[in-house]
Amino acid sequence: MNLAHHRIRTVLVLIGSAVLLSAPIAAAVDGGDRLSGTQRRALWANNMAQIERVRSAPVPEKPVAAPNDADPESKIKHWLGTYQRQLAENASAIKRDYEWYVDQAKQHLEKGEIRESLYRASNALDNTRDKDTLLAAGWVRELEGRSLELAKKYRSESEWRKAHGIYYELTTLFEDNKNYEKGREDCLNVARLNVLYADAKRWPEVLEGVDKHNATDAMDRIEHYYVEDVRFRDITEGGLDRLLLLGKSETMRETFESLDDEGLREEFETRIQARLARVRKSDENSFRASDAKAHFRRALRINEDTVQLPEELIVYEFLNGALTPLDDFTSIIWPIEFREFDKHTRGGFVGVG
């Protein structure tokens, strides 16, 4: 909790050491003497030798008063001892913080305060170098399991904001777990669906001009122009995954009556899920843009056979999900975005060369 203070003091000690080491050179310059390159290197080597002589000395239990004389070795002993004590104090403060965070996390867990426990566990992780040992601890594993149960409960109750909070804390604790990151993104996307499709005027405007050729053209462009090798299996998974979220949104079910039909919705989701399982079993090395387009067309057919959502909606959601595995700077410019861009760039520009 006092790490910033300790680090600032340590930096000041290092700055002081730099000033001390440069003092002999400064004195020589002030006296009008010019040091040759050989003399400067010798002076530097002498300073470093003095440091090496005191580097392995034990850390003084009490601060040593700064020497009044100009003996370089005494001065070096003084600032190096100060530096070593600061390092020891810093390590001790970090250890105290770690133990406090662990204790707080355990207390919250015992009370059933899962998100608070996750937050304190993340704090503890930030204050230890032995992250693997902490994450393997029994109480952390218990916390992980209870967190997943709570996130599942929130999702079943359409409490997407709360579910997102749990997944977010899990991703800070288990940074490499892609399932937790996907859970967080799913919650955000359902929340986005709830907002977009609640406005009966807005969503038709957003989808205006969208058609299935947008998706096939985008995949062709990715295949030919993307700067890295593309895993089209991942792209297809992303698109199909996004379609599975449509029925999770309560707003979507209210806006589109066919999606509120439990039988039609279940058939849609079952067939999309079967298509997704087939994609995941395929060989990623031989999966091409043509395969991605074939699965996309099949998704359109499944929609026609079941919930019959607007085709442009399926295209829009599929492609937004498909681009997720690519880098953050790759996206599609939809017709509405192009129209807005075109509108703002029309007319004359005065004073622009």
Side-chain angles (χ1 to χ4, degrees):
M1 291 179 286
N2 298 313
L3 297 185
H5 178 64
H6 285 285
R7 287 167 182 160
I8 290 173
R9 293 175 63 188
T10 299
V11 170
L12 290 176
V13 170
L14 291 174
I15 293 175
S17 71
V19 173
L20 175 62
L21 289 176
S22 64
I25 294 177
V29 173
D30 290 341
D33 299 329
R34 292 183 60 83
L35 297 179
S36 66
T38 301
Q39 289 174 318
R40 288 175 180 272
R41 286 191 292 273
L43 183 59
W44 177 259
N46 179 59
N47 285 334
M48 296 305 297
Q50 292 181 75
I51 291 176
E52 288 300 325
R53 284 197 295 272
V54 298
R55 185 188 296 277
S56 59
V59 179
E61 295 182 1
K62 297 181 180 180
V64 179
N68 294 322
D69 55 55
D71 175 41
E73 185 163 333
S74 297
K75 289 185 177 181
I76 293 174
K77 286 182 179 179
H78 170 67
W79 65 254
L80 188 58
T82 302
Y83 173 63
Q84 290 172 326
R85 284 197 309 278
Q86 292 301 322
L87 287 180
E89 290 177 11
N90 193 29
S92 178
I94 291 175
K95 184 174 183 295
R96 288 196 303 272
D97 288 349
Y98 170 78
E99 292 173 348
W100 187 85
Y101 286 131
V102 168
D103 181 64
Q104 289 294 304
K106 288 180 177 179
Q107 289 186 37
H108 285 301
L109 178 61
E110 186 176 349
K111 296 176 182 177
E113 299 167 347
I114 302 303
R115 187 169 182 185
E116 292 82 355
S117 182
L118 284 169
Y119 179 67
R120 290 308 183 189
S122 296
N123 292 148
L125 193 69
D126 291 335
N127 284 272
T128 181
R129 293 182 178 180
D130 192 1
K131 298 181 184 297
D132 291 339
T133 297
L134 173 62
L135 295 179
W139 69 270
V140 175
R141 291 303 181 188
E142 178 187 352
L143 174 60
E144 182 181 16
R146 293 177 66 179
S147 299
L148 291 175
E149 291 176 1
L150 184 58
K152 182 179 180 180
K153 175 178 178 292
Y154 284 148
R155 292 181 65 150
S156 67
E157 297 172 350
S158 297
E159 294 281 359
W160 298 100
R161 182 183 61 82
K162 292 181 179 180
H164 173 269
I166 298 297
Y167 283 120
Y168 176 80
E169 296 298 346
L170 282 170
T171 58
T172 62
L173 195 58
F174 302 95
E175 296 179 347
D176 298 328
N177 192 307
K178 294 182 179 180
N179 289 329
Y180 299 156
E181 180 61 29
K182 183 181 181 302
R184 188 186 71 84
E185 291 177 353
D186 284 350
C187 292
L188 287 177
N189 282 310
V190 172
R192 180 188 60 81
L193 292 172
N194 286 338
V195 172
L196 175 58
Y197 295 100
D199 190 337
K201 180 179 179 181
R202 177 60 178 165
W203 70 260
E205 292 180 352
V206 171
L207 301 182
E208 185 179 350
V210 175
D211 63 47
K212 58 187 177 184
H213 299 296
N214 294 139
T216 55
D217 289 347
M219 292 178 196
D220 287 335
R221 288 177 179 274
I222 291 171
E223 182 177 38
H224 291 102
Y225 301 114
Y226 196 69
V227 295
E228 298 176 354
D229 291 337
V230 180
R231 298 172 61 175
F232 279 98
R233 191 181 73 174
D234 290 351
I235 286 178
T236 308
E237 284 187 43
L240 294 174
D241 262 330
R242 186 64 59 89
L243 295 184
L244 286 173
L245 294 179
L246 299 180
K248 308 301 181 185
S249 165
E250 57 272 24
T251 298
M252 292 286 292
R253 297 196 296 269
E254 293 172 0
T255 302
F256 303 99
E257 294 183 2
S258 59
L259 198 59
D260 195 39
D261 184 309
E262 186 174 352
L264 291 176
R265 185 176 70 251
E266 286 186 356
E267 183 181 357
F268 173 78
E269 293 178 350
T270 299
R271 291 176 63 177
I272 292 293
Q273 188 68 58
R275 178 65 44 177
L276 183 58
R278 182 174 176 179
V279 170
R280 287 172 174 163
K281 290 179 181 179
S282 61
D283 181 8
E284 65 177 357
N285 296 319
S286 61
F287 204 101
R288 298 291 182 263
S290 57
D291 300 304
K293 289 186 286 187
H295 286 290
F296 164 69
R297 287 191 289 268
R298 179 58 66 177
L300 291 178
R301 180 62 180 273
I302 292 173
N303 175 61
E304 292 175 4
D305 293 344
T306 56
V307 290
Q308 297 182 350
L309 297 173
E311 182 178 86
E312 58 269 26
L313 187 155
I314 298 296
V315 175
Y316 183 80
E317 295 300 336
F318 179 92
L319 196 51
N320 280 331
L323 295 181
T324 300
L326 301 179
D327 65 271
D328 295 336
F329 305 100
T330 299
S331 61
I332 185 170
I333 300 177
W334 295 104
I336 188 174
E337 296 168 340
F338 181 79
R339 289 194 299 272
E340 288 295 316
F341 175 80
D342 188 54
K343 180 170 59 177
H344 290 295
T345 54
R346 286 182 180 276
F349 294 87
V350 179
V352 178

